[in-house]
């Protein structure tokens, strides 16, 4: 372990973490950063080669059994679509061209399958749109438009909030019990699709869905974890920033930035006040965010996990750098408890609640945002820790495997496409020169697909 990280850990566990402590941290030279970026790129290639050899044309590679895995009865090329813009950013041109050729010629959404709106939108539509913007390949936009049209029936509920599943061939829908993240995290993609195709309906339907969700927030400004999209009634009143709610908040702010949408700006600003009032939990050992009842604001549980670790990035993007930095420090403590972060931790007891690690990116995403804004080398040191842990505990001879238990480091046979789209992308961007991607000219969707702020309509 480098002296930089020994120091970082010492202060973390001594509980004396502060900005000043790390202001003294030695910086990393450009050559050291370039070397780390090169190594991350190499590892992307390692995992991509595994996919290419054992799972080509399928959704994912199972990295232990070396078998392909498809989400549905027909592959939707999840890994190639999700990973394509990362390959482009990394300058892996032959691999990107080959993946794009596969997508252009083989991806076909006319399938009699019920797909999960949220996942398909953030991974596939997001990936198609960002790669279209990077390459100008019109086939990618055509595919996104075709997908968008096939998915539109999902909004045909009495409230306008989407059903959870839609059949891509018949347009039939199912799944009335949803949550804020699934209802409210479609607007960046559908909004960009509207901008690029000129079909305003995409924006309007996704925007209505967010507004309907926001209208149902409690009097104190919180949303719950479960909602029935037909009746509009809450089925779970647990408020938090965790999975199931997370990207609803993320898209309120990002919609305001990407589309200059004043409603989104107002909804974000008002939500942020409630989040910081009722969910933030400043404790002697640092800042955390837990759960509360959405109507009373009363604390219910003190859980924080890998998914919650997106929030420092969002706070930083909103301009609240102080809270962002404190929360990232807490997230880093969580990571170092077992050497890899668990999916859920009871931060009041510092006890692991869910010990899985499915190769999630959020803590790395936050380090990248904070390094972008502060240039504090401690975030590079954190990134090095994350990278080393991935190599030490998750690497296999064909890629990287999720962990079923971060305490025992037992691996499980899964390598989700977000590992290509997000985990390795944010790690690479953390170390790569800022010119690799102009942060201020894009907004990342929740799957790390960069969407251009100043994009014009397509001429197709
Ligand atoms: C990703 O698919 C997205 O980031 C989503 O918002 C929730 N988390 C997974 C990765 O952890």
């Amino acid at each position: 372990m480098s002296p930089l990280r020994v120091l970082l850990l010492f202060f973390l566990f001594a509980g004396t973490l502060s900005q000043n402590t790390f202001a003294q941290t030695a910086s990393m030279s450009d050559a050291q950063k370039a070397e780390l970026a090169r190594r991350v790129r190499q590892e992307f290639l390692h995992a991509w080669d595994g996919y290419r050899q054992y799972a080509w044309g399928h959704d994912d590679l199972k990295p232990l059994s070396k078998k392909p895995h498809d989400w549905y009865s027909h592959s939707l090329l999840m890994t190639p679509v999700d990973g394509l813009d990362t390959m482009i950013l990394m300058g892996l041109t032959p691999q990107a061209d080959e993946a794009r050729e596969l997508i252009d010629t083989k991806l076909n959404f006319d399938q009699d399958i019920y797909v999960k709106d949220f996942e398909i939108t953030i991974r596939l539509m997001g990936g198609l749109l960002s790669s279209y913007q990077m390459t100008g390949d019109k086939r990618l936009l055509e595919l996104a438009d075709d997908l968008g049209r096939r998915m539109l029936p999902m909004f045909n509920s009495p409230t306008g909030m989407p059903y959870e599943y839609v059949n891509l061939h018949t347009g039939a829908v199912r799944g009335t019990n949803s949550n804020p993240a699934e209802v409210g995290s479609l607007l960046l993609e559908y909004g960009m699709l509207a901008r690029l195709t000129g079909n305003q309906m995409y924006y309007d339907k996704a925007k209505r869905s967010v507004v309907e969700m926001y209208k149902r927030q409690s009097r104190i400004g919180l949303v719950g974890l479960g909602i029935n999209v037909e009746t509009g009634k809450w089925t779970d009143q647990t408020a938090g920033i965790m999975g199931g709610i997370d990207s609803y908040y993320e898209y309120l702010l990002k919609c305001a930035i990407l589309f200059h949408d004043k409603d989104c700006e107002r909804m974000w600003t008002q939500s942020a006040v409630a989040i910081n009032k009722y969910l933030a939990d400043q404790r002697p050992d640092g800042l955390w965010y837990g759960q509360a009842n959405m109507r009373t604001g009363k604390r219910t549980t003190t859980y924080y996990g890998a998914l919650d670790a997106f929030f420092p990035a969002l706070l930083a993007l909103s301009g609240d750098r102080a809270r962002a930095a404190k929360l990232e420090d807490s997230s880093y403590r969580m990571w170092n408890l077992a050497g890899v972060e668990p999916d859920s931790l009871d931060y009041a007891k510092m006890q692991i609640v869910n010990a899985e690690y499915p190769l999630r990116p959020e803590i790395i995403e936050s380090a990248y945002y904070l390094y972008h804004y502060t240039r504090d080398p401690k975030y590079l040191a954190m990134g090095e820790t994350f990278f080393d842990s991935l190599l030490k505990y998750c690497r296999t001879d064909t890629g990287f495997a999720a962990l079923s238990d971060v305490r025992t480091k037992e691996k499980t046979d899964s390598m989700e496409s977000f590992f290509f789209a997000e985990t390795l992308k944010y790690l690479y961007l953390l170390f790569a020169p800022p010119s690799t991607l102009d942060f201020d000219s894009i907004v990342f969707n929740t799957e790390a697909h960069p969407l251009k702020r100043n994009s014009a309509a397509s001429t197709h």
Side-chain angles (χ1 to χ4, degrees):
M1 189 183 289
S2 75
L4 193 91
R5 280 183 294 149
V6 173
L7 199 68
L8 190 61
L9 278 174
F10 171 78
F11 283 112
L12 273 170
F13 285 99
T16 55
L17 196 69
S18 76
Q19 280 294 109
N20 290 340
T21 306
F22 295 109
Q24 298 149 11
T25 317
S27 63
M28 216 180 252
S29 69
D30 286 351
Q32 286 171 307
K33 284 188 264 178
E35 174 57 12
L36 277 160
R38 188 197 63 76
R39 287 177 54 212
V40 174
R41 183 178 183 269
Q42 204 54 42
E43 293 306 325
F44 182 100
L45 208 47
H46 165 68
W48 178 253
D49 283 346
Y51 167 79
R52 197 172 169 279
Q53 186 174 354
Y54 296 105
W56 187 247
H58 292 274
D59 283 333
D60 308 313
L61 166 67
K62 292 163 92 170
L64 300 182
S65 58
K66 303 183 190 174
K67 295 262 184 327
H69 166 254
D70 290 317
W71 286 34
Y72 306 107
S73 56
H74 192 278
S75 165
L76 296 176
L77 300 181
M78 215 65 84
T79 293
V81 177
D82 229 3
L84 178 55
D85 59 13
T86 308
M87 288 184 250
I88 297 169
L89 286 171
M90 288 179 172
L92 294 169
T93 309
Q95 290 78 7
D97 287 348
E98 193 183 25
R100 193 153 57 83
E101 165 79 14
L102 177 73
I103 295 164
D104 283 355
T105 57
K106 293 283 182 316
L107 187 53
N108 177 3
F109 291 122
D110 189 12
Q111 308 295 340
D112 190 3
I113 49 179
Y114 283 85
V115 298
K116 189 131 202 222
D117 320 328
F118 169 75
E119 298 292 353
I120 296 304
T121 300
I122 66 168
R123 299 189 199 213
L124 295 187
M125 194 181 298
L128 290 168
L129 292 174
S130 65
S131 291
Y132 163 68
Q133 292 192 314
M134 286 180 183
T135 61
D137 178 348
K138 293 211 166 128
R139 176 74 189 136
L140 300 175
L141 181 59
E142 274 168 27
L143 284 163
D145 195 14
D146 181 48
L147 178 61
R149 248 181 298 110
R150 291 175 184 281
M151 291 184 71
L152 274 180
M154 71 186 169
F155 292 111
N156 294 344
S157 73
T159 64
M161 293 191 283
Y163 291 94
E164 272 200 294
Y165 297 89
V166 60
N167 184 302
L168 291 180
H169 180 67
T170 64
V173 290
R174 67 181 180 213
T176 51
N177 277 324
S178 194
N179 58 54
E182 297 194 9
V183 168
S185 314
L186 307 166
L187 185 48
L188 294 191
E189 298 79 3
Y190 277 84
M192 187 50 74
L193 189 60
R195 193 186 267 183
L196 294 172
T197 60
N199 185 351
Q200 180 64 19
M201 199 208 307
Y202 288 134
Y203 193 94
D204 295 344
K205 293 218 180 237
K207 168 91 183 274
R208 176 176 173 213
S209 163
V210 177
V211 171
E212 291 294 328
M213 170 58 61
Y214 181 81
K215 271 169 37 185
R216 289 171 172 81
Q217 68 174 17
S218 68
R219 275 203 214 104
I220 61 171
L222 293 173
V223 293
L225 188 54
I227 194 158
N228 183 307
V229 300
E230 289 188 337
T231 63
K233 297 256 180 299
W234 290 102
T235 56
D236 185 336
Q237 300 194 5
T238 312
I241 57 162
M242 65 285 196
I245 298 183
D246 46 7
S247 48
Y248 161 67
Y249 289 130
E250 180 182 349
Y251 275 34
L252 291 181
L253 175 61
K254 290 184 173 178
C255 148
I257 297 171
L258 187 58
F259 303 121
H260 310 286
D261 187 310
K262 291 288 166 205
D263 297 327
C264 290
E265 189 181 323
R266 181 179 47 80
M267 291 189 285
W268 160 253
T269 309
Q270 292 177 1
S271 298
V273 173
I275 294 170
N276 285 319
K277 182 163 177 191
Y278 298 106
L279 305 177
D281 196 352
Q282 180 63 59
R283 304 177 79 87
D285 70 341
L287 176 67
W288 300 90
Y289 282 69
Q291 293 70 43
N293 179 283
M294 65 176 275
R295 302 208 188 280
T296 62
K298 199 164 168 293
R299 173 89 44 220
T300 48
T301 38
T302 48
Y303 298 157
Y304 184 88
L307 285 166
D308 305 65
F310 84 104
F311 206 59
L314 195 65
L315 287 168
L317 185 66
S318 77
D320 190 348
R321 312 269 149 80
R323 280 200 187 88
K326 282 189 188 178
L327 190 59
E328 182 68 356
D329 290 343
S330 300
S331 303
Y332 191 61
R333 275 193 80 199
M334 170 173 75
W335 183 280
N336 284 303
L337 263 186
V340 184
E341 65 184 356
D343 232 32
S344 180
L345 168 78
D346 185 337
Y347 58 77
K349 301 182 190 142
M350 284 313 256
Q351 265 171 19
I352 292 173
V353 177
N354 178 346
E356 290 167 345
Y357 175 63
L359 300 171
R360 291 201 194 281
E362 288 79 4
I363 194 170
I364 304 172
E365 172 185 5
S366 290
Y368 164 61
Y369 274 64
L370 278 158
Y371 184 64
H372 168 78
Y373 287 117
T374 65
R375 295 285 156 208
D376 186 332
K378 82 175 183 182
Y379 298 114
L380 298 173
M382 287 184 184
E384 225 186 323
T385 301
F386 305 143
F387 187 40
D388 285 354
S389 303
L390 286 170
L391 292 175
K392 191 165 170 193
Y393 302 122
C394 304
R395 196 177 196 275
T396 71
D397 58 348
T398 58
F400 288 76
L403 301 181
S404 57
D405 193 319
V406 295
R407 294 161 299 199
T408 60
K409 312 295 185 298
E410 192 183 334
K411 294 188 179 81
T412 183
D413 205 7
S414 159
M415 178 169 59
E416 287 259 14
S417 65
F418 58 66
F419 183 67
F420 293 91
E422 300 188 77
T423 312
L424 292 178
K425 183 188 283 144
Y426 285 129
L427 208 45
Y428 179 75
L429 290 174
L430 174 63
F431 300 122
S435 58
T436 308
L437 179 70
D438 178 13
F439 185 94
D440 296 316
S441 70
I442 56 97
V443 169
F444 289 101
N445 85 337
T446 192
E447 188 78 1
H449 296 303
L451 301 172
K452 287 194 177 154
R453 294 196 194 186
N454 295 316
S455 50
S458 159
T459 48
H460 83 299

